[in-house]
Amino acid sequence: RGIISLLAYQRVLNDPTFVAAFLFSFERALLTIVASLALVVPTAYWVHLRMPQWRPVLEFISLMPFVIPPIVLVFGLIRTFGPPPFQLMRNEFSTDVLMIAGYVVITLPYVYRSVDAGLRAMDVRTLTEAAQSLGAGWFTIIWRVVFPNLRGALISGALITFATVIGELIL
């Protein structure tokens, strides 16, 4: 009050409940990044390589979270997975899985756009054929060829996902 200082930040960072809540959000953000990249990268890669006519469908699906507000997503998850036969909200683990799945849906547009831009910037077909001619399987191609070439796009999508999950309060 009337004094400019960083005392408020010091108090917040020393509060154990803040640290616990931040670590909880940080962990969920990392798990969401891993799940998003595991879902989006192989899907976008396969569509770029084998089914380019499906790109408009994938773009439409990736834009749906902008149309459906997060509060509607939350109520949909509760109504679908709360009562029988699923009852996935009875323990902490399954609730966390549902939360991460919701975060994946919310961040899908950002992750897909960054991965799509990265795949457009590289010659996917030539890299895949070169890796296959050297005897690489699909998992090796994605892990050792696609991921390193998409590093910038993956970091971009991961940072946007991290910021969204840390700031998301509805889920």
Side-chain angles (χ1 to χ4, degrees):
R1 299 181 186 181
I3 300 171
I4 297 176
S5 73
L6 299 176
L7 184 61
Y9 292 106
Q10 181 183 0
R11 287 182 183 160
V12 166
L13 294 175
N14 288 333
D15 184 8
T17 56
F18 171 78
V19 173
F22 182 77
L23 290 177
F24 179 83
S25 294
F26 186 83
E27 182 181 280
R28 296 310 173 272
L30 292 180
L31 291 171
T32 302
I33 290 167
V34 169
S36 295
L37 294 180
L39 174 71
V40 171
V41 171
T43 304
Y45 169 71
W46 190 256
V47 167
H48 269 270
L49 187 65
R50 301 284 181 184
M51 298 183 292
Q53 69 274 13
W54 280 83
R55 278 193 70 238
V57 174
L58 204 59
E59 288 181 12
F60 177 76
I61 291 170
S62 76
L63 290 175
M64 289 307 293
F66 285 140
V67 177
I68 302 168
I71 193 71
V72 174
L73 174 67
V74 169
F75 282 119
L77 287 172
I78 291 171
R79 300 270 317 222
T80 303
F81 296 109
F86 297 113
Q87 294 183 340
L88 292 178
M89 296 183 172
R90 291 192 177 253
N91 62 38
E92 190 175 327
F93 175 76
S94 59
T95 304
D96 287 347
V97 170
L98 283 176
M99 185 185 307
I100 291 168
Y103 286 145
V104 168
V105 170
I106 290 172
T107 60
L108 180 66
Y110 310 114
V111 175
Y112 175 73
R113 291 284 173 232
S114 80
V115 169
D116 184 54
L119 286 171
R120 285 188 192 194
M122 62 187 234
D123 189 2
V124 175
R125 188 167 310 281
T126 303
L127 288 172
T128 302
E129 289 173 0
Q132 285 176 332
S133 70
L134 294 171
W138 288 110
F139 180 77
T140 305
I141 292 171
I142 288 177
W143 188 252
R144 300 188 77 187
V145 176
V146 175
F147 268 109
N149 282 298
L150 286 177
R151 188 174 295 131
L154 297 179
I155 290 172
S156 171
L159 288 174
I160 293 173
T161 299
F162 184 82
T164 302
V165 172
I166 290 292
E168 177 62 44
L169 301 174
I170 295 172
L171 279 177

